[in-house]
Amino acid sequence: MLDLIQTRRDLHQISEIGLEEFKTQAYLLDVIEKLTTGKDFVQVRTWQTGILVYLQGSQPERTIGWRTDIDGLPIVEQTGLPFASQH
């Protein structure tokens, strides 16, 4: 089972600026692989640091898209939280 709070904290710790999200992409690809292993209706494609997960549905004439940014801001975090950005 996926722990969404822990996943968000993990991603926050490894935040990277745009087009340099190599650790973020690797982390997300690992999560996606764990969630989709054995699912023949899933296709994963990558380019640079982007990821496309295509789910083949039962109605090919309909498409739903969901987009998200994975880059962080180039700032120094001073929250003192245990999951503060390491970059």
Side-chain angles (χ1 to χ4, degrees):
M1 183 163 181
L2 181 63
D3 182 340
L4 291 178
I5 292 172
Q6 187 60 52
T7 299
R8 184 212 169 274
R9 289 179 176 177
D10 290 346
L11 288 170
H12 186 81
Q13 284 187 303
I14 60 172
S15 58
E16 301 164 288
I17 61 172
L19 300 178
E20 295 182 17
E21 307 99 330
F22 303 107
K23 291 180 183 178
T24 303
Q25 184 192 47
Y27 180 94
L28 291 172
L29 287 171
D30 183 57
V31 170
I32 291 164
E33 180 179 341
K34 288 176 183 173
L35 291 172
T36 62
T37 297
K39 311 270 190 316
D40 61 350
F41 57 89
V42 178
Q43 295 177 28
V44 178
R45 298 180 189 149
T46 61
W47 71 100
Q48 294 181 347
T49 58
I51 303 169
L52 170 69
V53 179
Y54 181 78
L55 306 174
Q56 180 69 42
S58 60
Q59 297 179 335
E61 68 278 359
R62 299 183 71 185
T63 302
I64 297 173
W66 177 26
R67 180 189 181 278
T68 184
D69 292 327
I70 62 172
D71 60 329
L73 299 172
I75 60 173
V76 177
E77 182 173 1
Q78 299 175 346
T79 62
L81 294 170
F83 55 89
S85 176
Q86 298 173 359
H87 299 123

